[in-house]
Amino acid sequence: MSFVISLADRVVYPGPPPAQADAVVIGGGVAGIMTAYFLARAGQRVVLCEKGRVAGEQSSRNWGWIRQQGRDPAELPITMEAVRLWEGFAAQLGPELGFNRCGVTYLSDRPEAVAGYENWVRIAAEHGLESRVLTKSQIAGMIPNSANWACGMITPSDGRAEPWVAVKMLAHLAVGAGVEIIENCAVRALDLEGGRLTGVVTEMGRIKTPQVLLAGGAWSSLFARAQGVDLPQLSVRASVAQTAPLPENVLGPSGVDDDFAWRRRLDGGYTLAPGAEHDLFIGPDAFRHFRFYIPQMRRDLSKTALRPRAPEPGYPDGWTTPRHWDADQPGPFEAMRILDPQPNMKYLESVRQAFARAFPQIGLPKLQRSWAGMIDVMPDTVPVLDETAIGGFFVATGLSGHGFGIGPGIGRVMADLMLGRAPGHDLRRFRMSRFTDGSKMELGPTF
């Protein structure tokens, strides 16, 4: 049984939506929820439409890390702000949020990995963030009776939270700020008059609005392209599992090595996942955007299993998924309200074996539950945070597996962009035009 949000969960926010709003947010993941929250705090009437359930997809299926360590230098200031916001939300909402500054460690069997760690520590120091390289003996002192890792690094202020609980709690907070959330309400299309945005068409009717944010995760590219906006975004399957309860002091802080990742849970177990391996289901967009992904493939293809097709009809890049539809009729977002892929159990068995090698005193962990999510990725592994060529239509997508931790920061930034305020960070790295203006592809870090 998967420990994730599904259509079996009751609808908490049934609607119906109002006839008009100052802004409409498409997508009830952490980025959408947080943008709606900050817009409402600024006095805007905000409607958030979610085709399934709040946090039903990747926002509840991730590792639960709130990580600054290893971020792209342009992303790091937003992430540092996000960690401060998480701390503030924890003070408001209590321990059930699961927020804890437990630290995150990167560990490696390869001595040569220390050069990359040292480079990151220099970047962190430039931003005023404490991060340090760990020697073999320091790792052994921090995580006793564990694998003989050659080197590592740690950012002590990094944190964790419980994804499937936390985003629902943040949604409740947003409603308290005035956001109107409507679940089971797919947005089918933008409402355009002469190329000008006037609202959205939902399955529950039209909403007049001058501004729309698309924060649809793995579905963003499909929606945007149908509106004439091309996003070279794909999605990959990431598999995750939960162990039975284990002693808290055995595994140390959250961590990842060359084979697997772990994170302590509030229920006493650990979330485990492959460190980097994932699956790409090939579809029309994979061919359409192939050229953008060549640099990433040269670097990371060994970590990506290519699958010839999605396991069932209706995936965002499925061969039979419609690319165009009538806005007055049900479309692909109603056909699959929650994207719920089955986990790759071969990967998870490899994780069990790697865990037993790393922690021989524990041995093979018992996996109580397993699940998977589809991560929205961009060719350079950093998001798009920008207004499109359609005035008033904004996009926050392609968070590339970083979305849960950075979500509050993304929400604050996007709200200020939509309000015409200075976002407080340099967002040139995240402009949509980087894929069309001849810029050289700059890959974000992989560790």
Side-chain angles (χ1 to χ4, degrees):
M1 182 179 69
S2 294
F3 199 49
V4 294
I5 297 165
S6 73
L7 291 178
D9 289 80
R10 70 182 182 89
V11 173
V12 177
Y13 308 106
Q20 61 184 42
D22 296 317
V24 170
V25 174
I26 303 172
V30 63
I33 292 289
M34 287 284 86
T35 304
Y37 168 79
F38 285 107
L39 286 171
R41 287 281 301 270
Q44 299 287 290
R45 184 177 188 184
V46 187
V47 177
L48 184 146
C49 296
E50 165 55 49
K51 65 185 177 63
R53 302 290 185 275
V54 164
E57 298 192 4
Q58 188 57 19
S59 282
S60 66
R61 296 163 185 258
N62 59 82
W63 298 357
W65 283 17
I66 297 173
R67 171 178 65 87
Q68 303 157 104
Q69 182 166 281
R71 295 280 191 174
D72 186 276
E75 228 180 0
L76 181 56
I78 304 176
T79 312
M80 292 173 68
E81 178 183 354
V83 173
R84 294 191 294 270
L85 289 168
W86 274 109
E87 194 160 49
F89 292 140
Q92 282 182 266
L93 300 173
E96 292 82 6
L97 194 71
F99 178 77
N100 185 307
R101 285 186 183 261
C102 60
V104 164
T105 53
Y106 286 3
L107 305 163
S108 182
D109 298 326
R110 300 172 292 107
E112 63 271 21
V114 73
Y117 296 157
E118 288 172 344
N119 183 60
W120 159 253
V121 168
R122 286 192 291 270
I123 292 170
E126 290 170 2
H127 289 83
L129 177 67
E130 180 196 357
S131 189
R132 62 182 185 270
V133 173
L134 297 172
T135 65
K136 190 174 186 177
S137 60
Q138 286 172 329
I139 295 169
M142 182 180 298
I143 312 175
N145 303 312
S146 60
N148 201 20
W149 287 297
C151 58
M153 67 174 172
I154 185 169
T155 303
S157 60
D158 279 351
R160 69 186 187 218
E162 294 296 335
W164 74 281
V165 174
V167 181
K168 290 191 290 186
M169 293 178 74
L170 293 176
H172 184 72
L173 188 70
V175 169
V179 177
E180 298 173 72
I181 297 176
I182 319 295
E183 295 177 303
N184 263 13
C185 183
V187 175
R188 295 172 176 170
L190 300 179
D191 208 354
L192 302 171
E193 294 180 7
R196 185 174 65 88
L197 177 66
T198 60
V200 295
V201 182
T202 82
E203 64 179 290
M204 294 185 183
R206 282 169 161 77
I207 306 173
K208 282 190 168 296
T209 185
Q211 289 195 316
V212 175
L213 172 69
L214 174 60
W219 299 94
S220 293
S221 180
L222 180 65
F223 182 91
R225 190 163 186 267
Q227 319 308 310
V229 175
D230 199 24
L231 282 171
Q233 175 185 296
L234 299 176
S235 57
V236 296
R237 177 177 65 176
S239 300
V240 192
Q242 172 195 352
T243 74
L246 293 170
E248 183 171 10
N249 61 351
V250 174
L251 277 66
S254 297
V256 62
D257 71 0
D258 298 323
D259 297 311
F260 77 107
W262 67 90
R263 190 263 305 174
R264 177 77 175 179
R265 301 167 57 92
L266 283 181
D267 57 25
Y270 280 79
T271 291
L272 302 182
E277 288 76 17
H278 46 257
D279 302 279
L280 172 65
F281 301 119
I282 297 173
D285 286 348
F287 285 95
R288 183 177 296 114
H289 302 315
F290 175 80
R291 64 187 175 92
F292 293 110
Y293 284 85
I294 291 174
Q296 190 179 135
M297 289 174 63
R298 286 173 176 159
R299 185 183 70 179
D300 301 333
L301 187 58
S302 63
K303 302 170 185 174
T304 305
L306 301 179
R307 310 296 179 188
R309 65 181 65 84
E312 60 184 272
Y315 273 54
D317 193 24
W319 288 103
T320 60
T321 301
R323 264 55 187 181
H324 302 282
W325 51 87
D326 185 341
D328 292 325
Q329 300 295 325
F333 311 114
E334 291 142 274
M336 185 172 282
R337 292 195 180 274
I338 294 182
L339 185 53
D340 186 21
Q342 292 300 304
N344 185 324
M345 297 307 297
K346 182 179 178 181
Y347 284 166
L348 294 179
E349 179 56 30
S350 295
V351 165
R352 290 181 73 231
Q353 298 295 330
F355 181 99
R357 291 192 299 271
F359 302 103
Q361 78 279 23
I362 300 176
L364 284 172
K366 178 183 178 183
L367 302 185
Q368 288 189 333
R369 300 178 178 92
S370 59
W371 63 92
M374 298 299 291
I375 296 175
D376 47 311
V377 298
M378 300 303 294
D380 48 6
T381 69
V382 295
V384 169
L385 308 173
D386 204 355
E387 186 174 14
T388 72
I390 301 173
F393 180 39
F394 293 79
V395 174
T397 196
L399 297 173
S400 301
H402 309 158
F404 178 68
I406 200 174
I410 294 292
R412 204 280 304 159
V413 164
M414 292 308 301
D416 278 351
L417 278 181
M418 296 173 73
L419 291 165
R421 299 173 176 172
H425 300 294
D426 184 351
L427 303 183
R428 287 174 294 177
R429 177 85 161 109
F430 314 116
R431 70 194 187 283
M432 186 175 296
S433 64
R434 69 187 190 264
F435 302 112
T436 57
D437 62 10
S439 298
K440 181 182 177 181
M441 186 73 67
E442 298 179 28
L443 295 180
T446 57
F447 54 64

